[in-house]
Every structure is written in structure tokens, then in C-alpha cells.
Amino acid sequence: MSKSFYPKLALSNINKNKKVYYPYILTCIFTVMMFYMMSAIRNNSNLDKIHGAENLKMLLGIALFVAAIFSIIFLFYTNSFLMKRRKKEIGLYNILGMEKRHIGKVISYETIIIAVVSLTTGIALGILFSKLMFLFLLKLISFNVVLGFDVPIPSVISTLILFCSIFIVTLVYNLTKIHLTKPIELLHGGEIGEKEPKTKILLTIFGLACIGGGYGFALTVESPISAMSMFFFAVILVVAGTYALFTSGSIAVLKILRKNKKFYYKTKHFTSVSGMLYRMKQNAVGLANICILSTMVLIMFSTTLALYAGMEDSIKTEYPNDIRISTAPGIDDKTEEINKAINDKLKQNGIDIENYTAFHSITLSCEHIDGKFKFLDQDANLFGVNSIDKVKICTIMPLDEFNKINSTNYTLNSDEVILYSKKKPDAFGEFIIGNGNENKTFKVKEKLNKVSDVQHSNYENMLDCYTIIVNNMDTLKSIYSLVPSDEQKYNDMDYSVQFDTKCDREACIALSNSIFENVNIDGTTVEARNIYEARDDFYGMYGGFLFIGLFLSILFLMATVLIIYYKQISEGYEDKTRFEIMQKVGMSHSEVKKTIRSQVVMVFFLPLIVTGIHIAVSFRIIQKMLLLLGLANAGLFILCTIGSMLAFCLVYGAVFIITTKSYYKIVSSAEKN
């Protein structure tokens, strides 16, 4: 036998099965290209020039790991589908005289051809488009374009190692399956699963319990920190429940419909329910995969888009002025020295300022028990408290500075306070704070609904935060004196100065750096930050989030499209036989076609409906998690979620139309017979 026989036969088989092989090859090429591009961007030498490069590299590393795991699982999954479609053909080869070792050689050459085409084309396209993707990333993070083009060799090597390993593992799996399977089983392999599926009551109950548990966590979570800890557990429950309900719950519902004689014994319902009942056993996992992947696409894209779109709001909340100077003068107030040092720097640089604010404060982590605020020890981690809802952040400041900042004229006695809380302004009539052994009690004179932005706590989006206004600095110091001496270094008295400058970006950055580096006062720490470098950090982080969200969304969307396509092709070959049988028993062409179309539409859009439910239920817990990243604009997140859902529905509908054409081309051949 000629040495070229097996390669030629392998190439001929790929061409003859182009409806299933060409999409698979395109998917392999695209997956290789995407993985290489992400790796090339992470290994790009120009990345080190970007502000916040370490954080960006960390995010890209996470995305690269996810892409690698996705590639392994997804390519192995699609390979399994291909082998199922090829079993009859392989069995026929075996019956016609080809030994299994000969069939193994053909399969090996097919794998080699696909691997060579996928790797060479994928890496070539990756090299071609990686610069474009890098420029897109720079645009997202608002960084000036870096010229130059390089091909990171480590990225090429890691891509080759990963995908060669995947192709080798799939080849070994295929050869093992062929070796262990009898020829007659191969010949009828494509028909496995035609028996009526059994109702699995326990699996249905398990699925409902998982979905109920996951939804319960998502709908009842209160704290953003609790949301973060519960989210992944809720995701596991919902994923498990989705697979269980698609596998067993759908069959149970269809059997209930079949028992309803008035509904079932109608032409359209009879054929639809029967067809879906048999189809659900074979396609339940595929439908569940479509549902889960669609949910992942929408969540990743909508959240990263919302974070990026709301970035300026987050920056303004964190930095209401151009420069923010935080100092810790301690109980021995060195405010005058700090002010003099800052003013000296302003004069040296010849910079005029406006919107100047300055205030003293103490920010204390407290546990709220029986109406009292007890200081938390440094060792008592926030996550270690019995209930995270008991943890409160109290920022205490003197009245004269508060009135100056807010342009108010409140008055207070030594036993009175003014209370502000974004979440619960009417929670208390008294304010009691202390170390547990010794407390101070104040009457709440006023409960405010709004205060100046400069007084907002960094923890405000995560925990219940309170701004407490006391009558003067002496009262503030008396509260501070209750903090145990070994804890005062962790709960220091702060003096914050904020102002806007009448200068450009470079001068503002130079001023803040000069203050940070040169304002040195014994026993006092000084930290100066400016809005321009903070914006760079935000763009680097949130731009990186959006880039990775887009990257992974495209990967998962590609997987969704391919699963839908293969499902349509598979159903087309199965319905071709049913089409012929229904015509022989007296149904017209139009009735059969209408029935099959109705059946396909119902099954096709079922995952989309479940995806919509998952997204709606998960909105609350995701919105809570976004608070941890500084996005408090729920309206923006709603718009991004709705917009993402509408765009995805358009893509999903387009995929339905395109793949349905392939389905009808297969089925329509039965009409001609």
C-alpha cells in the first residue's frame, strides 16, 4: 500500500465531512490565535512602560489561564462530537476490511493535518493581529501608543506546547475509543440514545434545590463582602442546577404534557412534544452548555463595560479634588507644621490653588452590638467577625471643620453629635462608642441625608459607614484616647488636605510628588496623591478588565455558536429520517415542516430564556460586588446589562438563522426522495 494512501484518505475524509470539520478547524485556528495574542500582549516588552503594568500583567495572566483551561475543555468536547458523527463511517471502513490499526493511521493523519493547519494559521494570524490588539488595549487604558513590533518567542513556544498537547490527548482518546469499540457498535454509534428517556425524579429535585439555593443566595445577600464570598458558591449551585434541570427536569415537563390528553392529542403538539422528548436526552447537555456560556458572556461583558463606563464617577468619588494629602499627626497635633510645609511647597512651585478643604478625623472599625460601637482589634479581621453586617466604619470629625466644609452653622453641646449614614441615617437615637470597658454616650441631635464628598469613607460602598460630628477637637481626642494604646498606631488620627490647582497635568503631578518626597515632619507620615496618576491607575485596572472581558466573551461566544451549529447539524441528520416517516403516515410537507420548525424554535430559544432568568436573578449579587470596585451607579449597570442582552439576542438570532439554513439543507433532501 502506497505511503501516500493514508494522508490522501485523511484529507479526503476531511473534505467529505466539511460540514462538521471545517467549523472545527476554524474554531481551532481562532482559539490558537486568541491564546497567542493574549500571551504575546502579556510578554510584550512595551507593556512595562505602561503605568500599573504589574496589575495589568496579573489580569492578563489570569485571562491566559482561563483561556488555556477553556481551550482544553472545549476542543476536547467538540472532538467528541466529531467522533460521534464519524462512528458509522469508521465502522463501515472496519466492516469493508480495514483493520483498526489502519483506521488509526487515518485518524492520526487527520489529526496531524488539522493540527498543522490550525497551529500555523492561528499563530500567523495571531502575529498579524497582536499589534492591533495591543494598540486597542493601550486605547482602553488611555496610554500613548508605543511604536515597535515584536514576536515574543515564549508566546510561540507556550502556544505550540499547549495545543500540541491538546491534539495529542484527543488523538489518544480517539484511538482508544476505536480500539475498544466493536465494529457493529461503531456502525450504529450515531443512533445511540434513541430510546425514550426515563424521568429522573431525584435528579430533578436536586436541580431545583441547586437552582433555588443559588437564587436564594443571589437575592438575599446584603453586604458586598458577603456577596463576594457567596458568589462563587452560588455560581456552582446554579451551574449544577442548570445541567440537572436540562437533563431531567425538561424530560419530566414533557412527560407531564404528554399525559395531558387534551393538549397532547393534537397534530402540532403531538409531534412537537414527541420529537422534543427524544431530542432532549441527547441534547440536554448541549443546551445547558449554551445556557451557561451565554450567561458567562453576558455577565463578563456587562460588568466590565459598566466598570469602564462608570470609571470617571469612581475617580471623582475617590478624588473630588486635584490633590489629596493625607497625614497622621497623632494625638500630639502637628497641624500647623504640616500646613506650613505644604504652603512652602506651593510657594516654591508658584502654584495657585482653589477649593481648599482641611479637616481632622479618626476612622475606626467597630462592631455594632446591642446599640454600642465597640472598637475592633487589629487582629480581629473584618471577615472574622461573627456577622459582617455588625461591622461599621465610624469616621469622627470636629464640628467647626465640618461647618466650614459644608457651609453650615450647626451647634453642638459636648454630649451631642450629628450623624450621617448613606444607608441607615435614622438608625439611632443615641451614639455609644468605646472599647467595651469604657464608653462615651452621645445624644444624636441631627441625622443628615447628605454631606460633602470629601468626607466620604473609602469603605462606604462595602460596609455601613457613619460620619459622626462632635462639638470640638477635645471631644474627638477624648474618644481617640479610649482606643487601646497598642491599637492607636492602626487607628491613627488623620489630617486631610485637599485642593484644586490652576496648573496642567505635569505640574500637578510634580507638586504632589514634591510634597510626598520632601514634606518630612518627625512622627508624622505624609502621603500625597493626585487625580491624574489616580486616573492612570483606574484606566489601567478597568481598561484591563474591559479588555479581558471582551477577550473571554469572544471566546465563549465562539463556543456558543459552534455548539449551536453542531446541535443543528446533529438534529438535521436525525430529523431527516423522522421527516420521511411522518410523510409516509400521511402528514403533508407543509405540516411536517411547520412542526419541525416549531420544535426547533422552542428548543433553540429555551437556553436564551433560561439565560435571561439567570441574568435577572444574578443582578443584585453582581451589583453588590461591583460596589467593591467603586461602581455605585446601579442605573448604569442596568443600562449596560440590558444593552448587552439586546446585542446578544441579535447575535443569537443571527446564529439561529444561519445554522437553521444548514439544518434545512440536510432535512430538505428527504422531501426530494
Side-chain angles (χ1 to χ4, degrees), residues 70 73-74 76-78 81 239 242-244 246-247 282-297 556-564 567 607-608 610-611 614 648 652:
F70 166 82
I73 296 173
F74 183 62
F76 193 82
Y77 173 85
T78 49
F81 173 85
V239 169
T242 300
Y243 279 109
F246 268 103
T247 303
Q282 300 177 60
N283 294 330
V285 174
L287 293 173
N289 286 334
I290 293 169
C291 178
I292 296 300
L293 287 170
S294 300
T295 304
M296 292 171 68
V297 168
F556 293 146
L557 183 61
M558 174 203 66
T560 304
V561 171
L562 192 64
I563 291 173
I564 291 171
K567 188 178 77 67
L608 188 62
V610 178
T611 296
H614 285 347
F648 184 81
Y652 198 89

Side-chain angles (χ1 to χ4, degrees), residues 20-218:
V20 291
Y21 264 115
Y22 283 9
Y24 175 67
I25 294 172
L26 288 174
T27 301
C28 291
I29 292 172
F30 188 78
T31 307
V32 170
M33 180 185 74
M34 294 293 283
F35 182 85
Y36 170 81
M37 286 194 299
M38 184 61 71
S39 179
I41 291 172
R42 187 173 185 274
N43 292 321
N44 194 312
S45 58
N46 291 315
L47 194 65
D48 294 327
K49 302 175 184 178
I50 297 173
H51 192 77
E54 290 184 4
N55 290 332
L56 195 54
K57 280 189 174 182
M58 179 191 69
L59 293 174
L60 292 171
I62 294 171
L64 201 60
F65 176 76
V66 173
I69 298 299
F70 166 82
S71 301
I72 293 169
I73 296 173
F74 183 62
L75 294 183
F76 193 82
Y77 173 85
T78 49
N79 172 77
S80 299
F81 173 85
L82 291 177
M83 288 307 297
K84 182 178 179 181
R85 297 306 315 164
R86 296 283 308 282
K87 278 184 178 180
K88 184 180 289 187
E89 176 189 344
I90 294 169
L92 185 60
Y93 283 150
N94 205 182
I95 289 174
L96 292 176
M98 287 185 70
E99 297 179 13
K100 287 185 177 180
R101 61 188 181 90
H102 297 143
I103 297 173
K105 285 186 178 181
V106 175
I107 297 296
S108 298
Y109 276 110
E110 289 177 3
T111 304
I112 292 171
I113 291 170
I114 293 171
V116 170
V117 171
S118 300
L119 288 169
T120 53
T121 309
I123 292 176
L125 291 174
I127 292 171
L128 184 64
F129 289 106
S130 59
K131 179 63 177 179
L132 182 63
M133 290 293 287
F134 187 60
L135 294 178
F136 177 63
L137 173 60
L138 295 179
K139 181 69 175 177
L140 286 179
I141 64 177
S142 192
F143 191 81
N144 292 331
V145 174
V146 179
L147 298 177
F149 183 82
D150 58 355
V151 179
I153 300 302
S155 297
V156 176
I157 294 173
S158 61
T159 303
L160 288 172
I161 291 173
L162 173 65
F163 287 94
C164 283
S165 300
I166 294 173
F167 286 120
I168 290 171
V169 171
T170 55
L171 175 60
V172 172
Y173 172 80
N174 294 340
L175 294 177
T176 303
K177 289 285 289 184
I178 293 170
H179 179 73
L180 296 177
T181 308
K182 297 178 181 178
I184 193 66
E185 292 175 356
L186 286 170
L187 194 61
H188 296 285
E191 300 170 7
I192 294 173
E194 288 297 322
K195 294 181 180 179
E196 180 178 320
K198 295 180 181 179
T199 304
K200 299 177 181 178
I201 298 175
L202 291 178
L203 189 59
T204 302
I205 295 172
F206 171 77
L208 290 171
C210 287
I211 290 288
Y215 281 8
F217 284 132

Side-chain angles (χ1 to χ4, degrees), residues 1 9 18 26 52 112 137 143 186 199 212 257 297 339 377 402 434 472 574 587 604 638 654:
M1 190 176 292
L9 183 58
K18 60 184 178 182
L26 288 174
I112 292 171
L137 173 60
F143 191 81
L186 286 170
T199 304
L257 291 176
V297 168
N339 286 335
D377 295 338
F402 175 83
N472 55 37
E574 293 165 6
M587 290 183 70
F604 192 90
I638 291 173

Side-chain angles (χ1 to χ4, degrees), residues 138 187 216 391 451 457 473 483 498 534:
L138 295 179
L187 194 61
V391 177
V451 296
S457 168
M473 277 293 294
V483 178
Q498 300 182 124

